[in-house]
């Protein structure tokens, strides 16, 4: 079932989840055991992230270096196949432009069709470490809007529901929020059906983004993305990794817990739970949780709001 149909049919807002494929060596049984605790809350869909191949240069005996393309994680397609065979849930593989040309992307779309997958999150992906700007693969796509258009051309029968990413605090490369939203509109005009946002820790930022999107003519569902902080360290790491702000009150709450890891964990849950309650009161269609491989804190929040 398409995400847009789920949103139309459900009378109440619902939770959805994002998981990261495990490193090679983890078994299907282990992966499914990690997801099982979420299933008590009946999330209608689970997103599975996609990761570009890494390139390694290995020294050779003659002093030269040989280039190796390394894939450390299980593919999103394999993870989606395992999840949808085990649980009554829609899977949403992420599809990225980074590191793939149009032919490789088309072969992924064939896999998704073969598996009966109806939903895709279309993304550009990030630059390689050391690259200043994103460089598309020769014969690939420079922006997610081009990828959305390519999926629509491939999918003549209209089987796929396409989601795209939105950034309440703007994408780090965009000159300003208005321009970023103008580019988001291009993704919707190219055929995207809904938007999932980057994580944020201040709901006012999401409401401002939602208002600006509506004013710009973006009328598809906007699904907010949340992540509970799980350690004091994350107050530094997440802004670096995702170009987002952590509000002073949250940083202060985490600092008050100091070296008490349990207390930090609980403070992260409390903040995220308050965010979730407020979003539900403000009429969001769903709340999307970034699980980052740790189910306990998200499960605790799901118990409070979707139990
Ligand atoms: P785009 O929409 O292409 O935008 C990228 C930048 O280009 C923005 O600054 C935008 O303003 C600008 N731009 C857009 N169109 C144009 C244009 N025509 N001309 C000039 N500038 C333009 N990354 C992964 O590698 N794997 C994942 O699984 C993954 N999942 C994600 C899930 C979510 C919900 C989110 C929010 C992000 C995810 N990311 C993932 C990260 C994402 O790939 C990066 O943030 C990436 O840098 C941008 O991707 P995008 O699809 O938003 O790109």
């Amino acid at each position: 079932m398409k995400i847009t149909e789920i949103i139309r049919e459900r009378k109440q807002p619902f939770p959805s989840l994002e998981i990261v494929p495990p490193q090679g060596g983890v078994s299907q049984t282990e992966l499914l055991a990690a997801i099982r605790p979420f299933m008590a809350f009946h999330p209608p869909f689970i997103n599975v992230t996609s990761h570009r191949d890494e390139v390694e240069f290995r020294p050779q005996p003659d002093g030269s270096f040989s280039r190796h393309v390394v894939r450390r994680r299980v593919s999103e397609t394999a993870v989606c196949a395992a999840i949808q065979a085990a649980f009554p849930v829609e899977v949403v593989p992420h599809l990225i432009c980074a590191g793939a040309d149009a032919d490789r992307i088309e072969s992924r779309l064939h896999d998704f069709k073969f598996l009966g997958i109806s939903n895709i999150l279309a993304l550009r992906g990030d630059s390689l470490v050391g690259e200043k700007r994103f460089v598309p693969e020769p014969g690939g796509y420079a922006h997610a809007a081009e990828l959305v258009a390519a999926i629509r051309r491939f999918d003549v029968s209209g089987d796929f529901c396409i989601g795209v990413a939105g950034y309440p605090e703007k994408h780090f490369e965009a000159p300003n929020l208005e321009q970023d939203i103008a580019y988001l509109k291009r993704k919707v005009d190219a055929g995207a059906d809904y938007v999932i946002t980057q994580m944020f820790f201040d709901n006012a930022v999401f409401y401002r983004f939602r208002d600006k999107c509506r004013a710009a003519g973006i009328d598809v569902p906007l699904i907010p993305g949340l992540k509970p902080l799980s350690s004091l360290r994350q107050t530094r790491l997440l802004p670096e990794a995702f170009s987002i702000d952590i509000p002073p009150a949250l940083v202060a709450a985490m600092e008050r817990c100091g070296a008490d890891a349990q207390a930090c964990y609980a403070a992260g849950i409390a903040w995220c739970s308050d965010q979730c309650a407020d979003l539900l009161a403000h009429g969001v269609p769903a709340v999307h949780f970034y699980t980052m491989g740790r189910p306990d804190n998200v499960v605790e929040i799901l118990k409070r709001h979707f139990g």
Side-chain angles (χ1 to χ4, degrees):
M1 193 180 203
K2 294 179 175 177
I3 306 301
T4 43
E5 290 167 354
I6 296 170
I7 292 172
R8 262 197 305 276
E9 283 190 8
R10 292 256 177 153
K11 302 281 177 282
Q12 299 292 325
F14 55 82
S16 60
L17 304 163
E18 179 178 299
I19 63 157
V20 178
Q23 300 277 345
V26 171
S27 72
Q28 185 178 155
T29 311
E30 289 169 280
L31 170 79
L32 297 176
I35 294 172
R36 191 160 284 114
F38 297 124
M39 288 302 140
F41 306 95
H42 311 291
F45 65 90
I46 296 186
N47 280 47
V48 182
T49 61
S50 173
H51 299 264
R52 71 186 293 171
D53 295 338
E54 291 168 42
V55 176
E56 255 182 29
F57 291 92
R58 296 184 192 149
Q60 298 301 298
D62 65 359
S64 68
F65 286 84
S66 58
R67 184 178 185 276
H68 297 264
V69 175
V70 188
R71 180 168 262 276
R72 297 186 199 283
R73 292 183 183 277
V74 178
S75 76
E76 68 291 335
T77 311
V79 170
C80 284
I83 294 175
Q84 70 173 13
F87 301 117
V89 67
E90 295 293 335
V91 287
V92 186
H94 292 190
L95 185 62
I96 56 173
C97 310
D101 64 13
D103 292 338
R104 190 155 163 210
I105 284 172
E106 195 166 311
S107 86
R108 294 228 165 106
L109 293 173
H110 282 298
D111 288 346
F112 298 161
K113 282 238 177 194
F114 172 76
L115 289 168
I117 289 172
S118 321
N119 299 285
I120 298 171
L121 193 74
L123 300 143
R124 188 197 70 180
D126 282 322
S127 313
L128 284 171
V129 176
E131 267 176 6
K132 283 220 168 80
R133 306 282 308 171
F134 178 77
V135 180
E137 198 71 3
Y141 305 114
H143 298 291
E146 294 175 14
L147 176 61
V148 173
I151 299 171
R152 284 286 170 242
R153 284 195 300 277
F154 171 88
D155 179 33
V156 282
S157 49
D159 293 337
F160 289 135
C161 174
I162 306 174
V164 288
Y167 301 84
E169 295 175 65
K170 97 169 180 67
H171 184 262
F172 69 99
E173 292 169 23
N176 54 60
L177 185 60
E178 284 66 24
Q179 189 62 41
D180 204 24
I181 289 174
Y183 289 133
L184 177 58
K185 171 92 168 43
R186 288 198 198 176
K187 296 196 262 195
V188 174
D189 291 345
D193 297 298
Y194 68 99
V195 176
I196 296 196
T197 77
Q198 181 57 282
M199 66 182 77
F200 57 88
F201 293 88
D202 177 357
N203 287 2
V205 163
F206 172 75
Y207 301 136
R208 178 189 61 169
F209 171 74
R210 189 171 64 174
D211 289 348
K212 283 179 184 278
C213 285
R214 297 304 182 222
I218 296 172
D219 53 9
V220 297
L222 301 176
I223 301 179
L226 293 185
K227 179 196 150 27
L229 288 183
S230 55
S231 67
L232 178 59
R233 223 171 127 243
Q234 288 190 341
T235 58
R236 281 200 323 278
L237 293 184
L238 296 185
E240 265 174 43
F242 300 107
S243 302
I244 47 153
D245 273 4
I246 313 260
L250 177 54
V251 176
M254 300 299 278
E255 282 180 345
R256 272 197 301 277
C257 301
D260 184 343
Q262 287 279 76
C264 279
Y265 199 66
I269 292 174
W271 186 278
C272 188
S273 177
D274 288 350
Q275 275 192 279
C276 182
D278 183 68
L279 288 167
L280 294 174
H282 280 79
V284 296
V287 182
H288 189 70
F289 291 93
Y290 294 100
T291 68
M292 289 181 162
R294 294 196 59 171
D296 302 359
N297 49 5
V298 173
V299 164
E300 179 55 38
I301 294 162
L302 295 181
K303 263 189 214 154
R304 294 182 193 179
H305 302 286
F306 302 98

